[in-house]
Amino acid sequence: MQSHYVIHRAVLFGKSQCALGASESPLLDAQLLLQAVLDCDRQYLYMHPDQALSDEQWERYRQLIEQRKAGQPIAYLVGTRDFWNMSLQVNASTLIPRPDTEILVEQALKLALPVQARVLELGTGTGAISLALAHERPTWQFCAVDLSEEAVALARRNRDTYGLTERVDILQSNWFDALAGRSANSRRFDLIVSNPPYIDPDDIHLEQGDVRFEPRSALVAEDHGFADLRHIIEHGKGYLAPGGWIILEHGYQQAAKVGQIFSETGYEKVNTAADYANLDRVTFAQRKHD
Ligand code: GLN
């Protein structure tokens, strides 16, 4: 029988394995995976270095370490990822929420919007953006859509966990399609937000790290990554109230072109904001007042 590992040795074992798998943060990875198995926080690991793992715990941990060594994202292995002030469930049907996307949330909160704003999110994935905004603005109403049925189910679970069921409607839709037949009034949003796929299909980064395991439909867009950004900008006009805003995440080299598409489509007040690495990450613009 396998001699029992204690917490301290299990962490060291996991760290060395994750390092062999070319993880950039092998110690943290091992700690997070062991925390998931023991259902404890990081401090607990430091406080109980000599606690033995049961056979089941050791076996489960060893399997997770093996998967991490093979490159699986930590978020998929532990099933959650923190975003804004929430811990969201994630699975392989959605993009893993990124800290950079919190910039989109911050910028959206700075826009001049009605107290009872109606917000549309396209490609909600885990629900991260809408749920963060809904949490910050208790008087706003949301409609969030995603193409993937699994993502819709996941986003609904996250929404319900945070008690936002009444204010965040989550639908299966290919971009605007599910809204197309609605009355003009119910199609008028004050804000459209999206972190759409924007990576060029030929980008070499698709072969590296976590993105290898994320759904390509959430990452990659035709036309060097611009196809969906352009679709949202062009069709978004028909779903915005006069004076309404669109805010979009994009690649760090895409700001100028996204701004140009906004201008050519007749939007005004086009502006870009940088992420925490000081890279252009979100661009927003306003539909003209009538
Ligand atoms: N920011 C993500 C990445 O570069 C891509 C997200 C997206 O395509 N919307 O990994």
Side-chain angles (χ1 to χ4, degrees), residues 17 47 178:
Q17 292 298 304
M47 303 281 283

Side-chain angles (χ1 to χ4, degrees), residues 18 27 72 121 222 235 250 264 275 288:
C18 292
L27 174 60
Q72 279 282 346
E121 184 186 1
E222 292 306 314
H235 291 77
H250 52 66
E264 285 169 3
D275 64 19
K288 288 186 177 140

Side-chain angles (χ1 to χ4, degrees), residues 6-271:
V6 296
I7 284 179
H8 175 65
R9 282 190 59 218
V11 169
L12 290 182
F13 162 82
K15 178 185 167 190
S16 64
Q17 292 298 304
C18 292
L20 288 174
S23 163
E24 287 172 10
S25 51
L27 174 60
L28 181 61
D29 289 2
Q31 289 170 327
L32 288 168
L33 295 176
L34 191 53
Q35 283 170 235
V37 170
L38 301 181
D39 192 20
C40 68
D41 59 19
R42 176 133 14 112
Q43 198 185 355
Y44 186 93
L45 301 180
Y46 287 115
M47 303 281 283
H48 304 88
D50 298 324
Q51 179 182 315
L53 275 64
S54 70
D55 287 344
E56 289 82 17
Q57 288 168 338
W58 168 251
E59 195 45 39
R60 177 87 194 107
Y61 177 64
R62 208 186 49 74
Q63 283 171 8
L64 288 171
I65 291 288
E66 230 13 76
Q67 289 173 281
R68 179 60 187 148
K69 196 174 157 189
Q72 279 282 346
I74 284 285
Y76 290 158
L77 295 176
V78 302
T80 60
R81 171 54 49 97
D82 288 350
F83 183 83
W84 204 251
N85 56 1
M86 303 169 295
S87 171
L88 298 174
Q89 285 185 45
V90 297
N91 63 35
S93 72
T94 73
L95 199 72
I96 300 163
R98 315 274 203 268
D100 288 337
T101 302
E102 294 180 349
I103 298 294
L104 189 152
V105 174
E106 279 175 18
Q107 293 297 322
L109 292 171
K110 288 185 192 166
L111 298 172
L113 288 162
V115 175
Q116 307 218 321
R118 297 186 61 231
V119 182
L120 172 64
E121 184 186 1
L122 300 163
T124 194
T126 59
I129 297 171
S130 286
L131 300 182
L133 289 172
H135 182 87
E136 297 299 321
R137 292 287 183 271
T139 52
W140 291 7
Q141 284 285 339
F142 295 79
C143 175
V145 308
D146 202 283
L147 180 60
S148 153
E149 295 274 7
E150 275 177 278
V152 167
L154 180 73
R156 285 181 178 152
R157 284 203 296 279
N158 282 324
R159 170 195 69 183
D160 297 347
T161 299
Y162 285 94
L164 297 166
T165 315
E166 300 304 315
R167 286 194 297 120
V168 184
D169 212 7
I170 301 175
L171 308 173
Q172 195 271 332
S173 178
N174 182 17
W175 301 131
F176 300 94
D177 288 0
L179 306 171
R182 293 195 173 184
S183 68
N185 216 20
S186 69
R187 294 171 38 160
R188 295 228 149 178
F189 294 93
D190 302 293
L191 174 65
I192 295 175
V193 297
S194 186
N195 173 17
Y198 54 69
I199 299 179
D200 185 324
D202 295 328
D203 193 318
I204 52 158
H205 293 105
L206 292 166
E207 311 308 323
Q208 301 164 4
D210 284 5
V211 291
R212 291 172 295 165
F213 297 86
E214 292 177 295
R216 275 184 88 85
S217 60
L219 293 166
V220 171
E222 292 306 314
D223 188 18
H224 301 293
F226 287 101
D228 293 311
L229 289 161
R230 180 186 293 281
H231 181 91
I232 292 167
I233 293 171
E234 291 180 354
H235 291 77
K237 263 179 100 172
Y239 293 84
L240 279 178
W245 292 86
I246 298 194
I247 179 161
L248 298 174
E249 180 171 326
H250 52 66
Y252 69 101
Q253 292 166 316
Q254 292 175 322
K257 176 93 178 270
V258 169
Q260 186 192 338
I261 300 170
F262 268 126
S263 301
E264 285 169 3
T265 314
Y267 290 83
E268 55 187 15
K269 299 200 181 141
V270 181
N271 241 304

